Amino acid sequence: MPRGERRAALRLVAGAAVTGAVWCGLLPRLLSFAPVARHVRLMEERGVDPAAMYYTELERLPRCPAWLADRVVLWP
Amino acid sequence: MKDARGREVGLHEDLAAVVIGLGIVLLALAVTWQARPVSDAGSRARHPKGWPTPLAATVGMPGAWADAPLDAFRDKQGDLAAGAIVLGMGWVVAIVAAGVVLGGGSVRACLPGAILIAGLACLAYVLSGQKVVKYYNLEYPLWALAVGLFVGNAAGVPRWLAPALVGEFLIKTGLVIFGAEVLVSRLLALGLPGLMTAWLVTPVVLVATYLFGVHVMRIPSRALCMTLSADMSVCGVSAAIATGAACRAKKEELSLAIGLSLFFTVIMMVAMPPVIRWMGLDPILGGAWIGGTIDATGAVVAAGESLGKQAGEVAATVKMIQNSMIGLIAFAVAVYWAGWVERDPAGPRGTLAGEAWRRFPRFIVGFLAASLVCSWLHTLGPEQALWVDGATTGFTLKLRGWLFCAGFVCMGLQTSFRELAPYLASGRPVVLYLAGQALNLVLTLVVASLTFGWLFKKVVEP
């Protein structure tokens, strides 16, 4: 294998190892850290996906809440 | 489409994106209509996210996982869902191949690269599905860019991969499909107060931030100023993708805008609820403030819900109104760019409209066509609304997600760290983002206080 290709392969393997260590080691441990665990639990309980990019990706499509009309004039 | 030397061959990239994108939207609507429910077809309670569509089974995405990455390939019931995910990757390969064929290229030459890009897009989804990453709003475009950047810079781009690197085409096709989700009728969801909050603040912040970046901070790239302003004032990554494509932002500029938006979104998502509690704001006002200022939709709901159910509902609805402005803003940006920014004063003189049309990005026409047709269908009645919702939430949104993800992988593969360095070193984009967001925070609070807290507030009888 030429030297350039060997170095490229080594860089790829090293990057994959670091990614694996962070995603399979560090991040799962962070999940047991109390504030993180609380945030994740709250989001799961309420069915919220904070990674949604657009409103159609939300678990529940947003609608004007019925109670709002008692407190705000929506169409004067 | 362009060949390896950058020459235009075959069908223009924009037209190919329109043909394929609109074809997919029509397919989704036709199949969902064909499989419409025989009873309770107009019941929102029975079908909260629209009619179920058989096409949903043909496009799966890796899901959330905590400590075992393979859990990403299981559905919510714990059953293996790898088949649907592989089919989702198959859609990416098929659309890359269709685009290459329409552009006059060879399917055989692009297939190996298309399969690798689909695989890397799947890896990006798995990385973004880890619960800490997912629940702190580090969305998949960031990881798709990171995966592409890492592979491209660590190992380089082999020659066999080059024919499949059609990132811009994938993003444009994704945008045309995305048009089906941009429903103009949603603008009215929160009545006049919501309309005023969105229509007064968003365009003012967008234009002011853009002008500040161009004329005061003297950032050389107008496209970077526009993309940053749009993703900060409208709705984060989705707005950055739409306006970045409309003003032909470079891939490094789009990457930077997305990275900045996601970084500050995480900070605002965590910081705004305690600040609102400390200020003692009413849940309606707090929700409207969150909805109008935090970039990403999911982060808005997360921050709103952590204040309470009422604030969460208002925040999500205000954000939905801003979401619905993407089509109009992308159209306005494309017209402004074609008519004024890219106009060559020394070039041949024609009518402004004629010149603007010559340079106008054609895929925006497809995006608007999908948006207007689906908006019109949505207003026809409850059954038609459920039809459109089913076709989009069941199928097109997942497919455009795959296309955006694969498009960002391609962009990352084609970007060198050296090209990104000058943008990061100057620090000016960060200052522009912060200045624009500060204006956004103040203006949104003022207008939301005026509309929800004073002008349209009902007087409760004692």
Side-chain angles (χ1 to χ4, degrees):
Chain A
M1 190 189 265
R3 200 170 157 207
E5 281 183 23
R6 202 166 55 227
R7 287 179 66 177
L10 269 175
R11 281 196 293 261
L12 274 180
V13 170
V18 171
T19 308
V22 172
W23 260 261
C24 298
L26 185 66
L27 291 174
R29 280 189 179 207
L30 260 181
L31 266 179
S32 54
F33 181 51
V36 177
R38 204 166 39 240
H39 173 71
V40 170
R41 199 174 50 247
L42 181 76
M43 295 298 110
E44 284 185 329
E45 278 170 7
R46 298 194 178 178
V48 177
D49 176 8
M53 214 167 78
Y54 201 68
Y55 78 90
T56 44
E57 294 172 33
L58 295 170
E59 200 68 35
R60 292 183 300 273
L61 291 180
R63 317 176 62 77
C64 180
W67 55 264
L68 193 65
D70 298 333
R71 297 174 57 182
V72 175
V73 181
L74 294 176
W75 293 108
Chain B
M1 303 287 267
K2 290 175 182 144
D3 67 7
R5 291 178 187 170
R7 291 173 308 189
E8 202 68 51
V9 290
L11 199 59
H12 189 282
E13 185 175 84
D14 282 26
L15 283 180
V18 171
V19 169
I20 295 173
L22 288 182
I24 286 169
V25 171
L26 290 176
L27 173 78
L29 287 172
V31 172
T32 309
W33 177 261
Q34 194 63 32
R36 63 190 178 278
V38 282
S39 63
D40 295 333
S43 164
R44 177 67 68 176
R46 180 89 187 270
H47 310 289
K49 293 195 86 175
W51 292 345
T53 176
L55 286 170
T58 71
V59 57
M61 296 157 107
W65 58 278
D67 46 19
L70 286 180
D71 288 348
F73 298 93
R74 295 186 181 280
D75 60 18
K76 283 176 185 164
Q77 287 75 41
D79 299 325
L80 200 64
I85 294 168
V86 171
L87 287 175
M89 293 162 69
W91 275 103
V92 173
V93 175
I95 290 171
V96 169
V100 169
V101 169
L102 285 174
S106 149
V107 174
R108 238 164 100 185
C110 80
L111 267 185
I115 292 168
L116 178 69
I117 287 165
L120 292 176
C122 184
L123 173 64
Y125 266 131
V126 173
L127 294 179
S128 69
Q130 204 284 334
K131 284 189 177 179
V132 176
V133 174
K134 181 182 171 73
Y135 285 105
Y136 281 92
N137 182 57
L138 296 169
E139 299 166 18
Y140 68 83
L142 184 71
W143 305 111
L145 279 167
V147 165
L149 267 169
F150 170 68
V151 174
N153 284 272
V157 176
R159 197 177 291 172
W160 55 267
L161 183 56
L165 289 179
V166 288
E168 277 187 39
F169 163 73
L170 289 173
I171 284 180
K172 286 172 181 173
T173 309
L175 275 170
V176 174
I177 298 171
F178 178 46
E181 296 167 55
V182 182
L183 303 177
V184 183
S185 53
R186 300 282 192 204
L187 279 171
L188 308 176
L190 215 49
L192 200 57
L195 203 58
M196 282 176 71
T197 306
W199 275 100
L200 285 177
V201 180
T202 307
V204 169
V205 173
L206 173 75
V207 173
T209 310
Y210 170 70
L211 293 176
F212 185 74
V214 172
H215 297 295
V216 179
M217 296 193 65
R218 300 195 181 282
I219 293 176
S221 168
R222 282 172 175 258
L224 174 62
C225 293
M226 181 55 83
T227 311
L228 259 180
S229 308
D231 90 352
M232 181 270 302
S233 62
V234 188
C235 54
V237 175
S238 46
I241 296 171
T243 48
C247 68
R248 300 191 175 96
K250 290 182 198 160
K251 51 190 183 308
E252 307 88 57
E253 294 167 346
L254 184 56
S255 311
L256 181 67
I258 288 172
L260 274 178
S261 170
L262 290 176
F263 177 73
F264 285 107
T265 295
V266 175
I267 294 174
M268 288 177 70
M269 180 180 85
V270 174
M272 279 191 82
V275 169
I276 289 170
R277 263 189 228 110
W278 175 75
M279 290 168 74
L281 292 182
D282 176 83
I284 299 177
L285 185 53
W289 197 27
I290 285 175
T293 50
I294 296 182
D295 294 350
T297 305
V300 162
V301 183
E305 285 282 337
S306 63
L307 270 182
K309 194 169 181 296
Q310 290 190 335
E313 286 177 334
V314 173
T317 319
V318 168
K319 197 73 215 171
M320 183 177 70
I321 296 172
Q322 278 195 334
N323 281 174
S324 311
M325 297 176 78
I326 288 186
L328 298 168
I329 285 177
F331 177 72
V333 168
V335 169
Y336 171 62
W337 233 254
W340 283 272
V341 177
E342 291 185 337
R343 196 172 195 201
D344 179 11
R349 286 270 159 205
T351 60
L352 181 64
E355 278 193 56
W357 176 245
R358 193 168 52 78
R359 284 187 293 266
F360 192 79
R362 301 294 196 271
F363 78 91
I364 291 283
V365 177
F367 173 65
L368 281 179
S371 170
L372 293 175
V373 168
C374 288
S375 298
W376 172 68
L377 286 174
H378 207 268
T379 56
L380 291 180
E383 288 195 11
Q384 287 83 351
L386 291 172
W387 174 29
V388 173
D389 287 346
T392 52
T393 60
F395 176 64
T396 62
L397 87 80
K398 293 178 192 159
L399 184 53
R400 60 96 173 143
W402 272 109
L403 296 183
F404 286 158
C405 194
F408 282 118
V409 167
C410 292
M411 278 192 180
L413 282 166
Q414 291 174 297
T415 303
S416 156
F417 283 134
R418 263 170 284 173
E419 291 168 20
L420 270 176
Y423 293 99
L424 297 171
S426 79
R428 283 190 286 182
V430 182
V431 178
L432 178 63
Y433 185 95
L434 289 173
Q437 192 59 275
L439 175 68
N440 195 18
L441 282 164
V442 173
L443 263 186
T444 306
L445 183 60
V446 169
V447 174
S449 302
L450 281 175
T451 52
F452 288 98
W454 179 56
L455 269 178
F456 302 105
K457 189 175 182 179
K458 274 190 178 170
V459 180
V460 181
E461 297 293 334

